[in-house]
Amino acid sequence: MEKDEKTGEKAPPMILLDKVGKFYGNFRVLSECSTQVAKGEVVVVCGPSGSGKSTLIKCVNGLEPFQEGEILVNGVSVGAASTDLPKLRSHVGMVFQNFELFPHMTILENLTIAQTKVIKRDKAEAEQRAAELLHRVGLHIHATRYPGQLSGGQQQRVAIARALAMDPICMLFDEPTSALDPEMISEVLDVMTELAQDGMTMMCVTHEMGFAKRVAHRVAFIDQGQIVEDVSKDEFFDHPRSERAAQFLSRILHH
Amino acid sequence: MFGNFDFQAIVRGWHALIFEGLAFTLEVTFLAMIGGTILGTVFAMMRLSSTKPLAWFAGAYVNLLRSVPLVMVIFWFYFMAPYIGAWIIGAERPVQVGAFASALITFILFEACYYCEIMRAGIQSIPAGQANAGYALGFSYWQLMRLVILPQAFRNMLPVLLTQTIVLFQDVSLVYIISLPDFVTIASKIAQRDNRLVEMYLFVAVVYFALCLALSYVVRRLRARLTIIR
């Protein structure tokens, strides 16, 4: 894969993780994590809490440093010291568990700030793009409100729109529905489903197995910092190969 | 006892007291608040920096200045500044800093320590997720600070910053020891000239009390308003 670094766009997988390992001090959080997400593919990463899935996805856009292996996003090495991380991140959308909208800005400002400051769009263009996306997630009437005035589900939809406003080449979701009340989960999953159907490349850490069944192409199961299983969706749900994945599934699907 | 009081001294000295003395005090307070907040914010970012020497320097500076009484800092700075200035620019003779500039620089440098600790608490009160969200959008460190973290930190800490400014406002009276024409110094000069010490100092105390009370009322109102928004 290293050879593709120069030619960039020709690298086949959009996201490639090659034997990624990470430590907190002496404590090993991730070991030998390898997987990939092709262009247009939706990969769901799941696993028990504390297994390292959030850490893994934060490594993908360099929010968490890692010590071993390599991650390439669209052919660019995330770990390399020479990589312009802000530039790389501006192409990679990310949605967080706690939404992380900027509470001191209106919804519209949340959507335009990075467009104008990072990719230097002019204000009118940024606002137009923001309006389109707010329409798409059904929240355009809230454009002048502040995040604190919106429900959790609405905030998460705004957060998705904020990431999309940068016209990302792929999207990372870090447990996007875990902080939501049950009745709000579906409105967020609907937006994500629609996004997947539009062909967006997505890597989603989530416990929503219904969503995984509906839209994922592949499922990566992670336990104790290792990717135990990395198979197609049907194979994962019908014939989980590892005992730990089978256990996890039986527990999570029972209720 | 109050029968012997003669408040005519205040009426006679009114103009100098308010338009020279109090104006000087308020001017130093205001400028030191602005300068101290800016410098304090820079120190706060340094203290929280992952670059060890920066964090160490800011920490040492803050701890050193906070361990020295303000009177000593004013005193030392007033006499040392001309020599330090000369040493910095490599001049032969001490630099004329001027009383006002000397006082202002002293208060900025001193109050920056307190503003630094306030801003540090403010920055640390912003969830780490906010920084992640900013970085994930492609912000640089400076953009993240300027657009996301500092506006929130500043807003959260505004009541505390203003409370510190009330302390600063009172502290400015310490320039009395280097005879700068602040409110207290002018009042004391008039008091000694007219031999009306008690009346004059009573007046000064009442003015300080009224202004501080008004400001702390503003802070209380602000605190209530800001907590609703957050």
Side-chain angles (χ1 to χ4, degrees):
Chain A
M1 286 314 301
E2 287 84 351
K3 283 180 190 118
D4 291 326
E5 223 178 308
K6 292 282 180 287
T7 52
E9 277 135 22
K10 278 184 184 165
M14 186 64 85
I15 300 170
L16 178 100
L17 287 82
D18 186 26
K19 293 187 178 151
V20 174
K22 178 178 172 62
F23 297 87
Y24 284 126
N26 283 326
F27 180 69
R28 184 177 264 288
V29 209
L30 297 172
S31 55
E32 305 233 328
C33 288
S34 299
T35 187
Q36 47 182 284
V37 186
K39 192 169 189 299
E41 196 178 27
V42 177
V43 172
V44 161
V45 179
C46 61
S49 63
S51 58
K53 36 191 203 316
S54 280
T55 308
L56 183 71
I57 203 165
K58 286 195 181 107
C59 286
V60 173
N61 65 352
L63 288 180
E64 289 275 359
F66 52 94
Q67 288 80 34
E68 296 170 349
E70 190 171 32
I71 298 178
L72 299 181
V73 175
N74 201 22
V76 179
S77 169
V78 176
S82 59
T83 300
D84 182 354
L85 268 183
K87 191 175 173 215
L88 175 80
R89 287 167 179 151
S90 70
H91 303 307
V92 179
M94 186 157 193
V95 175
F96 298 87
Q97 183 174 353
N98 294 313
F99 333 130
E100 304 300 349
L101 295 176
F102 304 133
H104 58 300
M105 298 179 192
T106 64
I107 300 305
L108 188 69
E109 284 163 353
N110 264 281
L111 264 72
T112 54
I113 185 88
Q115 290 188 70
T116 53
K117 301 289 179 184
V118 178
I119 48 178
K120 312 286 180 199
R121 281 188 183 146
D122 65 57
K123 197 164 172 258
E125 193 189 348
E127 281 180 358
Q128 201 195 332
R129 183 84 184 105
E132 277 167 31
L133 286 161
L134 284 177
H135 249 282
R136 183 163 162 188
V137 298
L139 293 168
H140 49 282
I141 52 165
H142 297 308
T144 55
R145 293 200 172 186
Y146 285 87
Q149 299 171 297
L150 269 56
S151 74
Q154 289 173 328
Q155 287 191 52
Q156 193 61 299
R157 279 146 68 199
V158 171
I160 295 172
R162 177 176 70 176
L164 292 175
M166 302 293 282
D167 295 321
I169 53 172
C170 60
M171 290 280 288
L172 308 173
F173 291 84
D174 183 11
E175 305 206 32
T177 55
S178 299
L180 293 174
D181 290 336
E183 73 263 34
M184 289 169 187
I185 290 176
S186 66
E187 62 184 79
V188 170
L189 290 180
D190 286 348
V191 171
M192 289 170 64
T193 304
E194 203 180 297
L195 200 59
Q197 283 161 354
D198 284 354
M200 176 59 78
T201 309
M202 293 161 65
M203 188 167 172
C204 314
V205 171
T206 182
H207 292 296
E208 298 298 330
M209 290 301 121
F211 170 78
K213 277 183 177 169
R214 219 164 40 245
V215 302
H217 299 104
R218 278 190 309 112
V219 177
F221 179 77
I222 181 166
D223 188 28
Q224 294 178 357
Q226 284 180 306
I227 294 183
V228 184
E229 206 147 337
D230 181 9
V231 293
S232 79
K233 165 190 66 176
D234 294 332
E235 208 178 327
F236 181 74
F237 286 109
D238 299 340
H239 314 286
R241 273 178 291 187
S242 69
E243 201 180 309
R244 280 182 285 183
Q247 252 177 17
F248 175 78
L249 273 177
S250 75
R251 252 183 262 141
I252 207 162
L253 293 177
H254 260 297
H255 49 249
Chain B
M1 154 185 189
F2 290 101
N4 299 333
F5 274 22
D6 175 14
F7 287 100
Q8 280 304 310
I10 296 162
V11 177
R12 280 194 302 271
W14 179 259
H15 195 272
L17 278 169
I18 302 301
F19 293 99
E20 288 171 39
L22 193 57
F24 178 93
T25 298
L26 289 173
E27 199 179 344
V28 172
T29 304
F30 181 74
L31 293 175
M33 173 185 74
I34 307 272
T37 306
I38 293 169
L39 189 62
T41 305
V42 172
F43 277 134
M45 288 194 291
M46 283 167 70
R47 282 203 84 170
L48 294 170
S49 161
S50 52
T51 313
K52 283 281 177 303
L54 284 182
W56 183 88
F57 174 79
Y61 177 87
V62 167
N63 286 326
L64 176 71
L65 248 71
R66 285 204 304 175
S67 328
V68 180
L70 178 54
V71 178
M72 294 305 295
V73 179
I74 293 170
F75 204 61
W76 275 104
F77 197 83
Y78 186 64
F79 293 111
M80 293 300 288
Y83 296 95
I84 297 170
W87 176 71
I88 288 171
I89 61 170
E92 294 272 317
R93 319 187 71 212
V95 178
Q96 292 296 316
V97 178
F100 181 78
S102 160
L104 188 57
I105 293 168
T106 308
F107 280 106
I108 289 176
L109 290 176
F110 188 79
E111 294 298 326
C113 296
Y114 292 89
Y115 288 122
C116 164
E117 292 303 90
I118 294 167
M119 285 309 289
R120 184 164 71 118
I123 292 169
Q124 283 178 317
S125 75
I126 309 300
Q130 286 282 303
N132 276 342
Y135 281 136
L137 285 167
F139 288 151
S140 66
Y141 171 81
W142 292 107
Q143 284 177 320
L144 179 80
M145 279 292 159
R146 187 163 51 86
L147 302 168
V148 178
I149 306 295
L150 291 180
Q152 292 186 60
F154 194 74
R155 180 177 202 149
N156 291 353
M157 288 295 137
L158 198 54
V160 193
L161 289 168
L162 285 176
T163 304
Q164 181 61 37
T165 301
I166 297 176
V167 176
L168 164 65
F169 172 57
Q170 296 164 0
D171 282 351
V172 171
S173 63
L174 288 174
V175 298
Y176 178 77
I177 62 155
I178 49 172
S179 301
L180 291 192
D182 84 313
F183 189 41
V184 172
T185 309
I186 296 224
S188 99
K189 278 184 180 153
I190 296 174
Q192 281 163 13
R193 184 193 66 196
D194 294 2
N195 201 19
R196 286 292 164 195
L197 293 169
V198 181
E199 292 90 332
M200 195 56 82
Y201 288 142
L202 201 60
F203 172 71
V204 169
V206 166
V207 170
Y208 264 107
F209 173 74
L211 286 174
C212 290
L213 195 69
L215 206 56
S216 62
Y217 176 75
V218 170
V219 171
R220 258 209 317 281
R221 288 289 300 271
L222 210 61
R223 201 187 292 270
R225 267 191 61 191
L226 289 176
T227 30
I228 291 168
I229 292 165
R230 180 71 190 178

